[in-house]
Every structure is written in structure tokens, then in C-alpha cells.
Amino acid sequence: MNQQFEFDAPCHFGLEAVLKREIMDLGYEIVRVSDGRVTFRGDLGAICRGNIFLRTTERIMLVVGRFNAYSFDELFEKTKALPWEDFLPQDARFWVTKATTKNSKLFSSSDIQSIVKKAVVERLKEKYHISWFSETGDAYPLRVFIHKDEVSVTLDTTGESLHKRGYRRLTAKAPVSETLAAALILLTPWNKNRILVDPFCGSGTFPIEAAMIGANIAPGMNREFTAEGWKNFLPKKLWYDAVREANDLIQDDTDMDIQGYDIDGDVIRIARANAMEAGVDHRIHFQQRPVSALSHPKKYGFIITNPPYGERLEEKSQLPSLYQEIGEAFRRLDSWSLYVLTSYEDAQKYIGRKADKNRKIYNGMLQAYFYQFSGPKPPRTFTQRNDV
């Protein structure tokens, strides 16, 4: 039970520090941080707690082994040498769901997948003394990652990516993913006592993720994971314990001021439906409203938003005026801070102010920037709930 394992947790490029902090807050030891990936050490309970609690990773992968390989023969032999019988029962349904290679001598993903599968089969033939596997049992998907000739062979404990929380049944155009939205919110100084407005809320992802963060609702509470079927080495009790812990930590009495606006009424209906699925609809005020009408009487609030990028040619001509409206609305909001995720290269020009900070972010395959326009810090005596 106290045996320690290594886990790989991938995330959006540029947001590794946010995930690292999340993992440390769960009490696990960081092994290393690399581009788009954080490796940590923990017991078997980390599979359950990592999947249920972590907001900013895409999946939790149990590292079965790491080694250097410069040829396919070496890949086969070193994969075969790993203790697969400790993880895969005789009836396991297993396959290499993905092989990624970067800056390495082995670069054919399909060959890597085939060789790793064959090596695992040969190992299990010897250990179970059988020549054929029915593969009628639970799923044990493998993932292989090779970087600079170092091979990481892992078991994917998650299954469907963790950005699929289960609440977004309906989507608007070009939605930001749940994991990315959570990471960007955690990158700001926002907390549940401060106002948060998203004037381009789309499917409602930023407001919903903020409400879940503010109420301390674990993002993986209402979904299933592949590793729930791994009863041969992962006791069901560990899942029950993690869910019980998550339930105990929810702050039902939290009062928040979170608002989502969009110019499209159909989109607002989608956002409301998603918030209801997430169980946070009572914490968010959604309203059909253009960004030009954005105003608020309270001070020290936050705008966190993902406005249109103009990816389609017909939209490009509208972007200067749209970003000018964002800038004008921001200037009307005394003492607020503005955080904008966009790939529009002239965003700062038309907002009318150089960002205090900007961070390169990959939204899928699209390179974007998270522009941070900081407002003044509130005085120490300021309490949002009481002072306004």
C-alpha cells in the first residue's frame, strides 16, 4: 500500500508551474518538470486522488518503466524486461493507444506501438505460461513517450481526457478546454471573494471552472476513469476514500459574484445548461450582453476571457473594433484587472495598453498569448463581500 510509483501528468505547454503547484498541494513529491509534463511520485492512492482532484492535467499515467533505447531491438528487450505481470492480469485487454516521439532515433509511432505490444505479450506468455490471451477483461491502455531517446512506458489510468469533466454537454463555437480555463484562472490572483466577469463566455467554461474552484468542487467527481476496473492491484476502497475526501472538502455555503456575458442568446442558454450540469448554476449570473455594455459598480474585479481570434477571414475585419471595445470597457472599470487569451497579434494595440505580462500558451495546436493587465491591489481592509 505504501509502495511508491512515478506518474506522468501532461498539461498545456506554458502552464507546467500551475500543475506542479496543484500536485504539491495534494502532498506529492515532484520528480521533474519538462515541457508540457510534470512527473511526480506517490502511492497507489495518487491514481484516484490525481484523477479526481487535479484541474489542469489531461491525464494521469502510471510509469511502468523508463529506459534509453536507440534501436527497435533495444526497445523490445527493455520493454519485455518490465514487470508487466504486476499490473496486467491474464485476461487484460491491453493495447498501445498512443506513441509520441520527439528528437529521438526511433520516430515511427506505428512501429513503436507494435513492438511495445509484442514485447508485453512475450513477457506475459512467460509469466502466465500461456501462448494466447483472450483479452476479454478490463481495459489497460498503454502510452509510450520517447524524448531524446529516453522511453517512458506508461499505463493510462484516466481514459477519456480529464478536460471532459462531464458537464459540457453542449458547446458553443471554438470553446476553451476545461483544463486550460482552470489553469489560466489559477494563474491569476483571483479568489472567491473577488468579482469575476467573462464578457465572451461562450459555453460558460471560465465562469463554471471559477465557480468550481471557489466552492472547492473536485473536477473529477462526476465521471468515470479507466483505472476503476484495475481491481487486481488498485483496491476499490482507494476510489471510495478519494470521493469521500472530495465530498468533505466542498464548501456549499460559499458566496461568489461570477458573471458570464455573451452577445448571442443561444450561447447563453448553452452556458446556463452546462452550469446546471456542473451543479454551479446558482453561483453564476449569465446574461445576453455585448462587451460594449460591460460595466460594474464594484471595485477590484477581474475580467478573464477568451474573445474571438478571427480565425476565419470574414471575422478578421471586425477584430480591431472588437478589441477597442474591450479596452474601452476595461478603462471604465476602476481598479479592475484584465486577462485575455487570444492569438490576435494586434490585441494590445487595440486594447490600448501594453500588457504587464504575457505568457505564450498553446490552445490545442494554436499558439496564443495570455495577456495580463493588472489593476491595483486592494487595500488590506478591503473585503469584497462586506465593502460593496
Side-chain angles (χ1 to χ4, degrees), residues 7 26 28 40-51 60 238:
F7 300 94
L26 280 182
Y28 298 118
F40 66 99
R41 187 175 288 114
D43 59 11
L44 285 176
I47 294 175
C48 313
R49 296 181 74 233
N51 276 300
I60 303 296
L238 295 179

Side-chain angles (χ1 to χ4, degrees), residues 32 198 203 274:
R32 63 180 175 183
D198 180 358
S203 301
N274 290 338

Side-chain angles (χ1 to χ4, degrees), residues 87-344:
F87 303 100
L88 304 181
Q90 192 168 306
D91 66 346
R93 181 163 50 92
F94 62 97
W95 70 101
V96 182
T97 183
K98 187 172 184 181
T100 304
T101 177
K102 184 178 179 183
N103 300 331
S104 300
K105 290 183 173 60
L106 304 180
F107 55 84
S108 169
S109 294
S110 59
D111 286 337
I112 292 166
Q113 288 174 286
S114 175
I115 288 165
V116 168
K117 166 80 176 188
K118 192 179 298 183
V120 177
V121 168
E122 290 304 313
R123 169 79 180 201
L124 295 181
K125 278 183 181 180
E126 293 178 3
K127 294 298 177 180
Y128 289 129
H129 307 291
I130 57 175
S131 59
W132 182 80
F133 294 90
S134 63
E135 298 201 38
T136 55
D138 289 302
Y140 292 76
L142 280 67
R143 287 181 175 249
V144 181
F145 179 69
I146 307 178
H147 182 232
K148 295 182 178 178
D149 302 310
E150 182 190 67
V151 182
S152 300
V153 187
T154 71
L155 280 167
D156 176 12
T157 74
T158 302
E160 198 168 36
S161 173
L162 288 174
H163 80 266
K164 296 190 176 179
R165 316 286 206 218
Y167 67 72
R168 202 161 72 178
R169 305 294 175 88
L170 301 168
T171 58
K173 182 176 63 177
V176 64
S177 79
E178 293 89 328
T179 47
L180 178 56
L184 295 178
I185 293 167
L186 292 172
L187 199 59
T188 76
W190 177 81
N191 64 65
K192 63 186 179 182
N193 295 317
R194 306 278 290 276
I195 315 154
L196 187 150
V197 175
D198 180 358
F200 301 93
C201 72
S203 301
T205 311
F206 274 123
I208 292 170
E209 290 295 320
M212 292 177 70
I213 290 169
N216 211 20
I217 299 172
M221 284 186 64
N222 298 312
R223 54 158 289 171
E224 297 178 342
F225 307 99
T226 297
E228 289 181 69
W230 299 354
K231 303 177 190 70
N232 58 311
F233 73 90
L234 185 59
K236 199 75 174 174
K237 180 181 182 297
L238 295 179
W239 290 104
Y240 295 143
D241 289 345
V243 171
R244 189 181 304 112
E245 179 187 0
N247 273 310
D248 289 345
L249 291 172
I250 294 174
Q251 298 173 4
D252 282 321
D253 57 349
T254 300
D255 185 21
M256 289 178 274
D257 188 347
I258 298 174
Q259 303 179 24
Y261 305 141
D262 202 282
I263 197 170
D264 188 331
D266 290 335
V267 164
I268 288 296
R269 284 187 282 277
I270 287 172
R272 285 197 185 108
N274 290 338
M276 190 172 295
E277 284 287 340
V280 294
D281 52 303
H282 60 297
R283 304 180 189 278
I284 306 169
H285 172 68
F286 288 109
Q287 184 179 347
Q288 183 178 359
R289 181 192 289 191
V291 67
S292 59
L294 177 58
S295 62
H296 205 292
K298 297 179 181 178
K299 290 181 175 291
Y300 305 111
F302 286 77
I303 301 171
I304 303 178
T305 194
N306 176 220
Y309 296 171
E311 290 306 300
R312 293 189 303 205
L313 285 175
E314 63 267 27
E315 294 175 340
K316 285 244 182 233
S317 61
Q318 302 170 17
L319 292 185
S321 60
L322 179 66
Y323 280 78
Q324 281 178 338
E325 288 178 351
I326 294 172
E328 289 165 4
F330 177 47
R331 285 187 287 277
R332 289 196 300 270
L333 292 166
D334 180 37
S335 72
W336 281 47
S337 298
L338 170 65
Y339 296 83
V340 179
L341 175 67
T342 181
S343 66
Y344 182 43

